[in-house]
Amino acid sequence: QVQLVESGGGLVQPGGSLRLSCAASGSISTIYAMRWYRQAPGKQRELVAAITSGGSTNYADSVKARFTISRDNAKNTVYLQMNSLKPEDTAVYYCNADIRPQRATIMYGYWGQGTQVTVSS
């Protein structure tokens, strides 16, 4: 019953900003790492940013200094603040999280449905 739901995608001009949100819901015991991936047409899905349960972050070189990943553990939500957007940032952005459900002994990987980000003038 665990679900991830993304929101905040849309159309933005080059140089603009967008903030993505991903909320986890359901029968959750523990959320470990949370991540943002993206996939452009004809390309492989790539890791954009990751954040641990303790708040440590990692970014792809292509978005470093422009994107910021954060999380609100009380809300089971991860965010991706995207600034100085470029046309090459255009992709479907997916939320991913390692979650242990309630009454489970192991964690599983979960994916959101994706949200479209289009950077164009």
Side-chain angles (χ1 to χ4, degrees):
Q1 296 275 57
V2 174
Q3 296 183 97
L4 299 178
V5 179
E6 301 106 329
S7 62
L11 175 64
V12 64
Q13 294 183 343
S17 297
L18 214 56
R19 188 195 191 209
L20 306 182
S21 299
C22 172
S25 63
S27 184
I28 296 170
S29 177
T30 309
I31 301 179
Y32 301 98
M34 305 185 84
R35 309 171 186 89
W36 287 98
Y37 287 79
R38 67 185 181 188
Q39 188 166 26
K43 294 187 176 181
Q44 293 185 333
R45 188 171 299 187
E46 65 172 343
L47 178 65
V48 176
I51 185 167
T52 69
S53 59
S56 297
T57 59
N58 284 286
Y59 300 92
D61 288 341
S62 59
V63 308
K64 200 166 298 181
R66 298 189 298 120
F67 291 10
T68 301
I69 188 172
S70 61
R71 64 192 288 168
D72 185 336
N73 291 330
K75 297 181 178 180
N76 290 339
T77 299
V78 62
Y79 306 93
L80 186 66
Q81 178 66 47
M82 304 184 293
N83 299 324
S84 302
L85 283 162
K86 305 174 180 179
E88 48 262 48
D89 295 319
T90 296
V92 177
Y93 283 71
Y94 296 91
C95 178
N96 167 261
D98 299 327
I99 299 173
R100 179 164 65 88
Q102 289 185 350
R103 296 172 295 281
T105 59
I106 61 173
M107 69 180 183
Y108 299 86
Y110 293 87
W111 292 89
Q113 81 287 353
T115 185
Q116 177 71 49
V117 172
T118 302
V119 184
S120 176
S121 59

